[in-house]
């Protein structure tokens, strides 16, 4: 799992696949000094959406075509990354 915690992007991992409520995860800071972090979702018509699924329709039950990540770092400014997802027509 990935979480935005404080001013950091943190990865959380569990030591086993079939975890229980008592399984203790390990946290690792991937990036700190973050001023802002936003995810956007791009549908197959190239619309940029703030939420996914956008509606409860069957069409939106599929994965988006891409995910856009906007990160604003304290010293470096804004970074944008696009992640294309497989299985799009």
């Amino acid at each position: 799992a990935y979480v935005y915690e404080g001013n950091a992007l943190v990865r959380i991992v569990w030591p086993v696949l079939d975890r229980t409520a008592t399984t203790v995860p390990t946290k690792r800071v991937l990036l700190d000094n973050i001023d802002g972090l936003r995810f956007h979702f791009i549908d197959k018509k190239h619309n940029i959406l703030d939420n996914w699924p956008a509606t409860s329709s069957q069409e939106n039950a599929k994965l988006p075509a891409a995910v856009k990540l906007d990160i604003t770092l304290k010293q470096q400014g804004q970074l944008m990354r696009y992640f294309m997802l497989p299985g799009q027509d």
Side-chain angles (χ1 to χ4, degrees):
Y2 295 89
V3 293
Y4 181 46
E5 193 172 81
N7 289 334
L9 179 61
V10 178
R11 182 171 183 223
I12 301 172
V13 295
W14 289 264
V16 294
L17 290 176
D18 296 329
R19 67 181 191 246
T20 65
T22 60
T23 305
V24 178
T26 302
K27 292 185 177 183
R28 182 175 192 180
V29 174
L30 300 177
L31 186 63
D32 58 4
N33 295 319
I34 298 175
D35 272 344
L37 176 74
R38 293 205 46 184
F39 289 92
H40 302 281
F41 307 93
I42 302 170
D43 65 14
K44 66 180 181 180
K45 295 178 184 175
H46 305 284
N47 297 312
I48 298 176
L49 308 165
D50 290 332
N51 297 303
W52 195 269
T55 65
S56 60
S57 74
Q58 193 70 313
E59 179 63 28
N60 286 327
K62 298 178 183 177
L63 291 175
V67 175
K68 178 185 175 202
L69 174 60
D70 291 326
I71 301 176
T72 304
L73 301 174
K74 290 184 180 183
Q75 295 181 0
Q76 289 84 1
Q78 186 176 9
L79 301 171
M80 289 183 287
R81 295 292 181 260
Y82 291 85
F83 301 94
M84 305 301 291
L85 300 179
Q88 303 303 315
D89 296 339

